[in-house]
Amino acid sequence: MRTVIDQYEDLLTVPEVARLLRVASSTVRKWIGRGQIPYLALPNGDYRVPRVALFRALPSNVDAAAVLARVQRLASVPEGELAEEIRSVRQVRRGA
């Protein structure tokens, strides 16, 4: 039988969540403030984020249908056109 403590065995700090999601710690704190990700508030003001609950919450923040549509459009572009487009974007970024 799992206890309440067992459920929160894998708690992440704000910097750990930020590293895991490749965002700034301030972004994680904003998400916590907006209630976009689950968290536990500690008496000292720090936060802990349950890893499993975090990953369950993330899909609701992503429009999976839109991402899939972009991937499908990209897959339909012939390789030569795609390579040319990538070259042109790189040239623009370099300022050439």
Side-chain angles (χ1 to χ4, degrees):
M1 181 172 169
R2 289 178 60 97
T3 66
V4 172
I5 298 298
D6 292 334
Q7 293 174 12
Y8 297 106
E9 189 174 285
D10 198 11
L11 298 175
L12 303 171
T13 64
V14 169
E16 288 171 335
V17 173
R19 268 193 309 277
L20 186 63
L21 300 178
R22 296 181 181 178
V23 297
S25 291
S26 60
T27 300
V28 175
R29 286 189 186 88
K30 286 178 191 174
W31 291 344
I32 287 171
R34 294 178 188 155
Q36 292 177 300
I37 59 174
Y39 66 93
L40 299 172
L42 301 179
N44 67 357
D46 287 344
Y47 300 108
R48 295 295 181 269
V49 178
R51 183 186 304 263
V52 172
L54 172 66
F55 287 111
R56 285 185 183 149
L58 288 178
S60 64
N61 297 337
V62 175
D63 184 354
V67 171
L68 183 57
R70 284 196 300 269
V71 168
Q72 288 173 338
R73 277 194 307 271
L74 186 59
S76 67
V77 175
E79 277 190 49
E81 288 181 35
L82 186 57
E84 182 57 37
E85 185 65 27
I86 290 170
R87 275 193 292 278
S88 68
V89 168
R90 287 181 179 158
Q91 287 175 347
V92 168
R93 284 187 178 170
R94 287 187 213 134

